[in-house]
Amino acid sequence: LNNIHVSQSHQRLGIGSKLLNTCACICAERYGNAGLYLWVVQTNEKAQRFYSRYGAENLGESTWNAPGGTVVPLYRFVWKDVQRLRSASC
């Protein structure tokens, strides 16, 4: 999963959940019980809580060399088995 962005004015309406659910269902159909992960900016605690509610685990760190020369610290949020995410969301 590359990323999910929902504008602030449309958050808490279930849009992010539907996007994550759809991704989980497609991945489960195509890839069985393979894992799924995405990178989350370390300062984005709201996103971290969202993914954690769906069972993702914070299992790594990295950085992103963003345009303009800034270095952004990231966390790697992982679902080890997409079937578990799918069963909670499809």
Side-chain angles (χ1 to χ4, degrees), residues 4-52:
I4 295 176
H5 292 278
V6 177
S7 66
Q8 191 169 7
S9 63
H10 288 80
Q11 291 178 2
R12 313 248 352 127
L13 299 175
I15 296 168
S17 298
K18 285 184 180 191
L19 291 168
L20 182 59
N21 296 347
T22 300
C23 179
C25 293
I26 291 169
C27 288
E29 287 175 14
R30 294 184 184 174
Y31 307 108
N33 52 347
L36 178 68
Y37 75 91
L38 77 154
W39 295 100
V40 180
V41 175
Q42 288 185 9
T43 57
N44 191 345
E45 295 176 5
K46 193 174 192 179
Q48 293 172 45
R49 286 190 302 272
F50 174 79
Y51 296 120
S52 294

Side-chain angles (χ1 to χ4, degrees), residues 66-77:
T70 59
V71 177
V72 180
L74 305 170
Y75 288 131
R76 185 173 188 251
F77 274 72

